Amino acid sequence: MPGAIPASPSRLVDLVFPGDTNHHGTLFGGAGLALMDRIAFIAATRHGRVPFVTASVDRVDFQAPARVGELVELVARVSRVGRTSMTVEVEMVAEGLVSGERRLCTRGSFSMVAIPEGKAPGWCLPPLADMREPPGHGTCTSDIVFADQANSSGRMFGGEALAAMTKAAFVAATRHGRCITVLAASERVDFRAPVAVGSIVDTVATVARVGRSSMTVAVELWSEDLTSGIRTCTANGRFVMVAVDRQDRPVPVGRQETVDKPS
């Protein structure tokens, strides 16, 4: 029987864009569920190292809306492991870009079933060990590479990799300065290895330098094979983010613009 595996949480951080919201400017429930299911799949795969399918969504509680322009952070933890199935608990928290205010939006429980193709008879999932938080190292978010993000060879487009890296740089810079930031420049981006469709990708972003109105963010893109767990640093780069006001004029990092409340 495989040894016990610590239940490290998996995280996905995204922005709420207008195309994912209803006429009230809040995230569609279906869009939120899709993100929750995605991170549940990543957490299950990292534990079992076999393909998984979602068998059921046992309980979902919608407690507060996520609004357009906010960050949403989804955290998935494996809570129960059976012979070929597991339960993954997922929470989605909304975060204000400038205020940093966080609120629990949704909590759900997903039943994931393993598809142990090619495994010996009697194979079963490894049991859980104690929960283990990964060491802190910048802002880390996980995702999956899908077919529409890849070229005819089944490898992730460079532009898709850049999009993931610049989004991570935006999140790290915004959280550091608690101000709206825009991309001013990319210094150097090195692509070191291809990323296959179906791989997990992690972006790790760290604020490396802070000036008066700019921040330089170092970003690494890691790929992870679903079944073997082998990780490869596939790209790294440095991005210059500039803090701006609502007229897109540079402002000192950390200065929050006052917004007049309607009378």
Side-chain angles (χ1 to χ4, degrees):
M1 176 182 294
I5 295 177
S8 299
S10 293
R11 286 180 166 81
L12 188 158
V13 181
D14 208 344
L15 285 159
V16 180
F17 291 104
D20 294 322
T21 60
N22 58 28
H23 59 291
H24 298 297
T26 60
L27 183 68
F28 281 122
L33 282 172
L35 291 172
M36 294 172 75
D37 182 61
R38 187 183 303 182
I39 197 63
F41 171 82
I42 291 172
T45 302
R46 281 180 160 162
H47 182 89
R49 293 302 174 193
V50 293
F52 279 85
V53 295
T54 305
S56 65
V57 182
D58 300 323
R59 186 196 71 253
V60 177
D61 298 319
F62 293 95
Q63 301 188 16
R67 305 184 187 283
V68 65
E70 292 183 322
L71 294 174
V72 284
E73 181 173 24
L74 297 98
V75 181
R77 296 177 174 86
V78 178
S79 61
R80 183 199 64 83
V81 176
R83 191 175 69 83
T84 60
S85 66
M86 67 174 64
T87 301
V88 181
E89 305 291 339
V90 181
E91 291 185 346
M92 181 170 69
V93 175
E95 179 180 325
L97 291 180
V98 173
S99 68
E101 176 189 358
R102 290 168 63 87
R103 65 184 178 280
L104 176 65
C105 292
T106 312
R107 179 184 287 121
S109 179
F110 292 75
S111 293
M112 313 296 293
V113 174
I115 307 175
E117 299 174 349
K119 297 294 184 180
W123 176 90
C124 62
L125 290 166
L128 281 176
D130 295 334
M131 181 68 68
R132 178 186 65 192
E133 289 286 342
H137 176 52
T139 297
C140 181
T141 181
S142 303
D143 212 333
I144 296 284
V145 178
F146 294 102
D148 62 353
Q149 298 173 293
N151 59 26
S152 58
S153 300
R155 300 293 186 263
M156 187 181 191
F157 283 121
E160 294 286 348
L162 284 171
M165 295 171 75
T166 54
K167 183 187 292 187
F170 171 82
V171 172
T174 300
R175 282 179 163 174
H176 181 89
R178 287 303 170 196
C179 48
I180 303 301
T181 62
V182 295
L183 178 65
S186 60
E187 293 183 348
R188 179 185 175 97
V189 179
D190 293 315
F191 295 97
R192 300 179 179 277
V195 183
V197 169
S199 298
I200 296 172
V201 287
D202 286 339
T203 49
V204 182
T206 306
V207 176
R209 188 194 67 83
V210 178
R212 180 181 178 277
S213 61
S214 66
M215 290 169 276
T216 300
V217 184
V219 182
E220 295 177 341
L221 182 72
W222 289 79
S223 64
E224 180 178 325
D225 183 78
L226 284 178
T227 54
S228 70
I230 294 174
R231 291 171 57 83
T232 305
C233 184
T234 58
N236 55 33
R238 293 169 68 89
F239 301 86
V240 179
M241 310 296 295
V242 174
V244 296
D245 62 15
R246 296 188 182 276
Q247 285 71 48
D248 294 326
R249 296 172 300 198
V251 296
V253 171
R255 195 188 90 181
Q256 297 185 16
E257 185 182 34
T258 300
V259 179
D260 294 331
K261 296 182 179 179
S263 58

